[in-house]
Amino acid sequence: MTSPAAMLDFEEQWPRWSSAKDEAIRVRFDIPPARYFQLLNRLIDTEEALAANPLLVHRLRRRRDDAAAHRQRRAS
């Protein structure tokens, strides 16, 4: 299982999506990028993640929420 600290550390090192990030996810975590992002989105809702790195977690939550709001606007 992927450790929460490892995922937060990785996300801090790779703040933006790229195909290189996808490959790094496969190599480092041995999971597909889609699964990584599912786990990351679940992780950033935990108190453990918030306590470990509040600035990163708030930034990731904001980015996720902005993307969801954008998708909602496009669907309307």
Side-chain angles (χ1 to χ4, degrees):
M1 187 65 188
T2 302
S3 107
M7 289 184 75
L8 292 175
D9 289 343
F10 179 83
E11 198 58 32
E12 199 161 44
Q13 293 171 11
W14 291 83
R16 302 232 183 253
W17 175 85
S18 70
S19 58
K21 182 176 182 177
D22 283 355
E23 185 58 29
I25 289 168
R26 286 185 187 93
V27 168
R28 180 158 179 192
F29 299 108
D30 195 30
I31 57 176
R35 181 66 180 146
Y36 168 83
F37 289 110
Q38 289 172 340
L39 294 171
L40 179 65
N41 281 315
R42 200 173 305 150
L43 172 63
I44 64 174
D45 287 332
T46 67
E47 290 300 318
E48 177 185 5
L50 188 59
N53 194 331
L55 292 175
L56 175 64
V57 169
H58 284 298
R59 179 172 51 86
L60 293 173
R61 286 177 179 178
R62 190 170 46 252
R63 186 168 60 185
R64 178 190 61 192
D65 295 346
D66 289 348
H70 180 73
R71 282 191 304 274
Q72 183 69 24
R73 283 191 304 273
R74 284 182 44 203
S76 299

